[in-house]
Amino acid sequence: MLEKNIMGFLYVFMLFLMPSCSSNSNVEEEPEEQETNVSSIKISAAAEWIYVSGKSEVSAEVTYKDASTATPNVNWTVNSIGSLSNAKGVSTTVEAIKKGTINIVAELEGVTSSITIEAKEAIPPFSGTIFVDPDIITSSDPSVLKTVNYSGQGSRTMYDRRVNDWVTVNAFLFDVTFDDGLATEVQVNPEFATKELAEIEANIYALEAGRLPKILRKDVNAIWIHKGVELFGGGNNSLLIHTGQAANYIADGILEETLVHEAAHTSLDAEHAASPGWLASQTADINFISTYARDNPTREDVAESFLMYLAVKYRTDRISQDLETTINGTIPNRIKYFDDLSLDVSPID
């Protein structure tokens, strides 16, 4: 009897130690796979690449299994190269934080899709635009010069880069008229000695001035001519010419391009360089057309950009496709700014 009792006790004890197989078991069950109505997500971006600090809109096109037309509330994520304007919605705007490849992912109901946008440094393509192409305006292009008449000598104050100061001289004076109704006075330094030698210089640069767009001549009240190898200048309602430097520009084929740049200072800077529209265009473009413009954004950007505007709007037959693409890709908003002004650029057509 004692042996039976012991065996029964051991049986009950073993049952107590065995794990329960009841419905209250703690064993985890496999989760059921979530049903999704999303068939696919297609992402599109407004740009294949952007500059650092630049932005591009990105949108998602979702196809549903049941052909639903519901507006999707997509979940957006991006890697550390970019940032997003919003993390949910049918679209978002990505901004480049630094140089690299931006990876953008759209997710909805477990279905994902991705796209990449390259972020590039905003490095200007040129050092200075007068050197870009010598054929934007050439010495064979038409000039609207009408008359050059000597009016005697008279006291005139001009800037002279050889002394980096204003000088007052008894200049040889020439009244110049153009076929489009504009006029100016050429003031030649008396260092040229005779009226005849001064007249040669006056005729050379009056003819060149007549090749400039009318909009660039509108505020040119004087053309100052000195000897010397010094840079040209613009502003102060004038054009500054040093004939030794002019010979260098002529040899390089960029005399006319240089005059465009300087005349842009004279006739465009005051009205446009600090205008809200121009500053907004600078911001939208992010980049500058040249390092000279980038390093002097308030003083040189208009003049550096205007020559390139002429190239892509009126001289596509003279420039390469690559150059046209570079200009339009670098400063599209500045190009549009000039274009929207409907400027009179005759005799250029």
Side-chain angles (χ1 to χ4, degrees), residues 104-317:
I104 307 143
V105 178
E107 182 276 332
L108 187 63
E109 296 182 14
V111 178
T112 63
S113 182
S114 65
I115 193 173
T116 60
I117 297 176
E118 289 300 313
K120 302 181 180 181
E121 290 184 25
I123 300 174
F126 309 115
S127 59
T129 58
I130 65 171
F131 309 105
V132 169
D133 192 296
D135 295 325
I136 299 172
I137 303 178
T138 71
S139 59
S140 61
D141 284 326
S143 172
V144 292
L145 175 64
K146 185 176 182 180
T147 61
V148 179
N149 293 317
Y150 179 62
S151 61
Q153 286 187 258
S155 178
R156 294 291 186 274
T157 299
M158 305 182 283
Y159 196 82
D160 188 336
R161 287 200 192 276
R162 293 171 297 181
V163 295
N164 284 321
D165 204 352
W166 296 92
V167 296
T168 300
V169 297
N170 188 31
F172 295 105
L173 305 176
F174 300 86
D175 293 326
V176 174
T177 62
F178 300 102
D179 286 331
D180 54 18
L182 296 182
T184 191
E185 182 180 67
V186 176
Q187 304 167 6
V188 183
N189 193 304
E191 65 189 336
F192 285 89
T194 68
K195 173 253 185 184
E196 289 74 22
L197 291 176
E199 190 167 22
I200 292 172
E201 303 299 329
N203 278 292
I204 290 172
Y205 297 105
L207 182 66
E208 292 295 348
R211 294 191 176 98
L212 299 177
K214 183 176 183 180
I215 185 63
L216 298 188
R217 286 180 284 112
K218 71 181 182 69
D219 291 333
V220 178
N221 297 332
I223 299 175
W224 302 329
I225 301 178
H226 305 289
K227 292 183 179 182
V229 183
E230 302 289 344
L231 297 177
F232 284 18
N236 300 294
N237 296 108
S238 65
L239 292 176
L240 168 63
I241 292 169
H242 285 276
T243 57
Q245 184 62 37
N248 293 335
Y249 289 146
I250 291 170
D252 292 336
I254 60 170
L255 175 63
E256 293 80 14
E257 286 73 20
T258 303
L259 288 172
V260 167
H261 177 102
E262 302 303 346
H265 282 309
T266 305
S267 296
L268 297 179
D269 277 356
E271 184 176 353
H272 301 287
S275 71
W278 181 257
L279 297 179
S281 297
Q282 279 184 332
T283 300
D285 284 336
I286 299 174
N287 205 357
F288 289 83
I289 196 63
S290 68
T291 54
Y292 190 37
R294 180 198 63 194
D295 297 343
N296 305 277
T298 58
R299 193 186 76 213
E300 297 296 339
D301 194 33
V302 168
E304 285 288 284
S305 300
F306 187 78
L307 181 61
M308 298 294 92
Y309 165 72
L310 290 180
V312 296
K313 295 302 294 187
Y314 300 97
R315 292 296 194 246
T316 54
D317 58 326

Side-chain angles (χ1 to χ4, degrees), residues 49-71:
W49 64 269
I50 54 179
Y51 290 121
V52 174
S53 298
K55 299 178 181 180
S56 175
E57 185 176 358
V58 181
S59 58
E61 181 182 345
V62 176
T63 303
Y64 293 98
K65 294 177 181 177
D66 65 359
S68 172
T69 58
T71 301

